[in-house]
Amino acid sequence: MSFHILKKEVEHILSRSDKQLNERLTNICELLQSEIDHYDWVGFYFAEHSTKTLHLKAFAGEPTDHTVIPFGKGICGQVAESHKNFVVPDVKSQDNYIACSLNVKAEIVVPLFKDRVNIGQIDIDSHTPDPFTVEDERFLEWINENVAKNI
Ligand code: SME
């Protein structure tokens, strides 16, 4: 499925105001994980700024033990502080990395902004080495912008 068609599907999921936000986020994770070959785990973490921690709110793929991540720890925690996309072509090259599964080869984390505040992120793990392009970054930024409109 192309990014163009996936965007239409995401818009449809987000428009389902009869569903709770968490359910819509889970549906987005399931859609991306099932339709994009190199997306093997997809999740949304949201920040609790008072405790400087990220909390997993929705995901698709293998369950993870890392449902709470302190700011600064791992790829996710670094993005909570840098406010910038973090593309990791090879997770083995990262010292500050939290391993969820031995199958994971690459990761991308894109921050989610509401009113210019970094309130969370979308995190993708891939079993394919070096799979992410700028198209993935633009697509995931678009997803986060549209999720933010529904928060
Ligand atoms: N690998 C992430 C932890 C979250 S899992 O990918 C689900 C990290 O280093 O922050």
Side-chain angles (χ1 to χ4, degrees), residues 41-43 45 54 56 59 62-67 69-70 73-79 88 91 94 96-101 104 106-109 121 123-126:
W41 188 93
V42 180
Y45 286 91
L54 292 163
L56 185 63
F59 73 95
E62 290 287 304
T64 174
D65 290 339
H66 304 289
T67 55
I69 298 176
K73 301 282 182 200
I75 308 304
C76 296
Q78 291 178 76
V79 169
V88 181
V91 295
Q94 297 293 316
N96 189 357
Y97 168 70
I98 302 166
C100 285
S101 149
V104 176
E107 178 161 1
I108 182 170
V109 178
Q121 52 191 241
D123 175 19
I124 319 285
D125 285 341
S126 182

Side-chain angles (χ1 to χ4, degrees), residues 3-126:
F3 283 151
H4 177 71
I5 295 172
L6 286 168
K7 283 182 180 179
K8 297 280 165 220
E9 296 274 332
V10 168
E11 279 172 345
H12 176 68
I13 291 169
L14 287 172
S15 73
R16 292 287 303 274
S17 50
D18 55 311
K19 292 187 176 186
Q20 296 290 317
L21 180 64
N22 269 16
E23 193 181 347
R24 285 180 270 163
L25 293 178
T26 301
N27 292 157
I28 291 172
C29 292
E30 289 166 348
L31 173 75
L32 302 189
Q33 194 251 1
S34 63
E35 293 297 334
I36 304 178
D37 281 351
H38 60 292
Y39 288 17
D40 291 291
W41 188 93
V42 180
F44 285 98
Y45 286 91
F46 283 88
E48 197 175 282
H49 289 105
S50 59
T51 55
K52 292 192 185 302
T53 50
L54 292 163
H55 297 256
L56 185 63
K57 293 287 181 211
F59 73 95
E62 290 287 304
T64 174
D65 290 339
H66 304 289
T67 55
V68 180
I69 298 176
F71 284 14
K73 301 282 182 200
I75 308 304
C76 296
Q78 291 178 76
V79 169
E81 294 185 329
S82 72
H83 317 305
K84 292 192 176 124
N85 296 352
F86 199 157
V87 182
V88 181
D90 173 9
V91 295
K92 286 212 183 89
S93 70
Q94 297 293 316
D95 292 333
N96 189 357
Y97 168 70
I98 302 166
C100 285
S101 149
L102 292 175
N103 295 325
V104 176
K105 300 283 193 297
E107 178 161 1
I108 182 170
V109 178
V110 173
L112 193 159
F113 298 97
K114 176 78 178 173
D115 300 329
R116 300 191 180 185
V117 178
N118 180 356
I119 61 162
Q121 52 191 241
I122 189 166
D123 175 19
I124 319 285
D125 285 341
S126 182

